[in-house]
Amino acid sequence: MRREVTLRDVAELAGVSSRTVSNVVNGYANVTERTRVRVQRAVDELGYRPNVLARNLAQGRSGQIALVVPYLDTPYFSELLQSVIRTARARGYNVLIDQTDGDPEHERAFIAHGSRRLLFDGVIFSPLGLDQQALADHDPNLPLVILGERTSDGTFDHIGIDDVAASREATEHLLDLGRRRVAAIGDQPYATGEAAQRRTRGFREAFQARGLTVREDLIISTPRFNRKDGAQAMAHLLDLEDPPDAVFCYSDLVALGAIRTLVSRGLRVPDDVAVIGYDDIEDGRYSNPSVTTISPDKEMIATTAVERLLLRIGSSTPPPAVELRAPHRLIVRESTAGRVTPPAR
């Protein structure tokens, strides 16, 4: 029977100390990239698997991280969750998942002083019910990475996309198509609606850059970014005396709801009304018509969030907080470009 590969075996093959191998395996920062690559090559060649339980017991850790999101039934978060679990598992960590429903007290419990007694070593957190001021009161000893539209207070990392730029790009796409009665569905003009407000800002900036006037009656607020809210908002817009000829929806779910209403009213998408969404969820790729969307790099967001959190967990002195922007891109599909007719045979 083949004996178990040890840390020392990896160190000998890589030509480094056992301590260096441990630093690489645990994701510590004090290793050069050249050494890290050499050690990782030895780990892969020998098939080394760290004894996670022993490591956690020795370091006083649980070996678990928490991912806290508002809604698990939102495809954006469920797709993000899969990437977080995959990345954490590769690093020897389990992921505890919690849905807050945007409840401020529930969210506060995860980042309050002493919250680590809940058996996780750190938190990846997408807040909805807590505003910027409430986030500032988190436990400074808790390794924390924030997702979405909040900014760091200097004690946690923040990862998100540039919502303003992405929303401006989405609106410009509609304007480039010659649409001028462009509506926006999803504004949330209250303290915890920062993401929606940034998208509204980008929407406005696209008009201002071209010297065009925004019609205020075409900006519709919604309590959530879901199909029902999109459908109801679209119905309201269609009942206006001068309805829109294009709609920027603040999520793909909102766009799917809006398209449902348009089709039920006998309108053609995009001929009568062009529709663009946000998030690039799988449902939007296979809907009829498929949904043009802003696609954030969810894989990069998830991977970076886990890596930054584990760096904080493994550091005796917390590393400086970072603000990271994930890339995004516009993906044009049938809801704005129409269907491509295949050439006749």
Side-chain angles (χ1 to χ4, degrees):
M1 185 174 67
R2 183 183 177 185
R3 75 176 180 85
E4 184 177 350
V5 177
T6 67
L7 197 75
R8 182 173 296 176
D9 295 329
V10 176
E12 289 179 357
L13 180 60
V16 298
S17 68
S18 296
R19 169 70 69 179
T20 298
V21 175
S22 178
N23 287 341
V24 172
V25 170
N26 289 299
Y28 296 159
N30 56 336
V31 180
T32 66
E33 184 60 27
R34 183 177 178 181
T35 300
R36 188 181 302 278
V37 170
R38 189 163 76 249
V39 170
Q40 189 58 55
R41 188 179 296 120
V43 167
D44 294 340
E45 182 178 335
L46 295 174
Y48 172 69
R49 294 292 179 268
N51 188 325
V52 177
L53 179 59
R55 181 189 67 186
N56 291 335
L57 289 173
Q59 297 174 345
R61 299 175 189 160
S62 68
Q64 300 185 117
I65 61 175
L67 175 63
V68 183
V69 299
Y71 305 111
L72 291 172
D73 63 352
T74 300
Y76 173 82
F77 289 117
S78 61
E79 291 176 12
L80 189 72
L81 169 63
Q82 294 178 48
S83 295
V84 168
I85 291 176
R86 191 163 51 245
T87 304
R89 183 178 293 157
R91 300 291 294 274
Y93 273 80
N94 294 319
V95 181
L96 300 175
I97 304 159
D98 194 271
Q99 172 176 298
T100 68
D101 295 311
D103 176 45
E105 292 308 314
H106 193 107
E107 292 187 348
R108 189 175 287 110
F110 272 91
I111 61 171
H113 292 260
S115 61
R116 293 186 69 179
R117 67 179 181 273
L118 299 177
L119 299 180
F120 49 79
D121 299 325
V123 181
I124 298 173
F125 183 27
S126 182
L128 180 63
L130 298 183
D131 59 19
Q132 192 69 43
Q133 184 175 357
L135 276 179
D137 193 34
H138 72 92
D139 183 349
N141 297 314
L142 174 69
L144 180 64
V145 174
I146 297 293
L147 306 180
E149 289 308 313
R150 302 291 193 274
T151 55
S152 175
D153 65 354
T155 60
F156 58 78
D157 297 323
H158 170 245
I159 306 169
I161 76 167
D162 189 336
D163 265 323
V164 176
S167 300
R168 185 171 58 244
E169 188 174 349
T171 308
E172 287 171 347
H173 173 64
L174 297 174
L175 295 174
D176 287 343
L177 295 174
R179 311 299 173 115
R180 290 299 179 265
R181 302 189 311 278
V182 183
I185 299 178
D187 189 35
Q188 295 175 344
Y190 41 80
T192 57
E194 289 101 327
Q197 291 164 30
R198 289 174 185 266
R199 293 173 197 183
T200 301
R201 177 181 161 192
F203 174 78
R204 292 182 181 278
E205 285 185 1
F207 276 82
Q208 293 166 0
R210 302 186 184 210
L212 301 174
T213 301
V214 174
R215 275 181 53 185
E216 298 299 327
D217 64 324
L218 296 184
I219 299 178
I220 308 299
S221 299
T222 61
R224 283 188 60 182
F225 293 166
N226 60 24
R227 295 177 181 86
K228 179 181 178 181
D229 290 335
Q232 292 178 341
M234 192 72 248
H236 169 78
L237 287 167
L238 292 179
D239 289 339
L240 296 176
E241 184 175 342
D242 189 19
D245 59 3
V247 186
F248 168 38
C249 298
Y250 290 11
S251 81
D252 284 352
L253 287 183
V254 171
L256 291 171
I259 289 171
R260 172 65 181 174
T261 295
L262 288 166
V263 172
S264 70
R265 295 282 189 100
L267 296 171
R268 299 166 300 167
V269 179
D271 305 68
D272 300 315
V273 182
V275 179
I276 186 169
Y278 203 105
D279 288 340
D280 188 24
I281 64 172
E282 187 175 28
D283 286 359
R285 296 170 213 158
Y286 296 97
S287 62
N288 187 15
S290 56
V291 178
T292 295
T293 189
I294 292 294
S295 177
D297 191 339
K298 293 190 281 287
E299 187 68 29
M300 183 270 193
I301 292 172
T303 300
T304 304
V306 173
E307 290 177 348
R308 291 298 306 179
L309 185 65
L310 297 188
L311 178 63
R312 289 188 165 276
I313 291 171
S315 300
S316 55
T317 302
V322 295
E323 289 277 350
L324 298 172
R325 290 291 184 189
H328 68 271
R329 61 192 177 103
L330 171 69
I331 299 179
V332 178
R333 298 194 181 111
E334 294 168 345
S335 66
T336 62
R339 291 177 176 81
V340 177
T341 303
R345 295 185 177 182

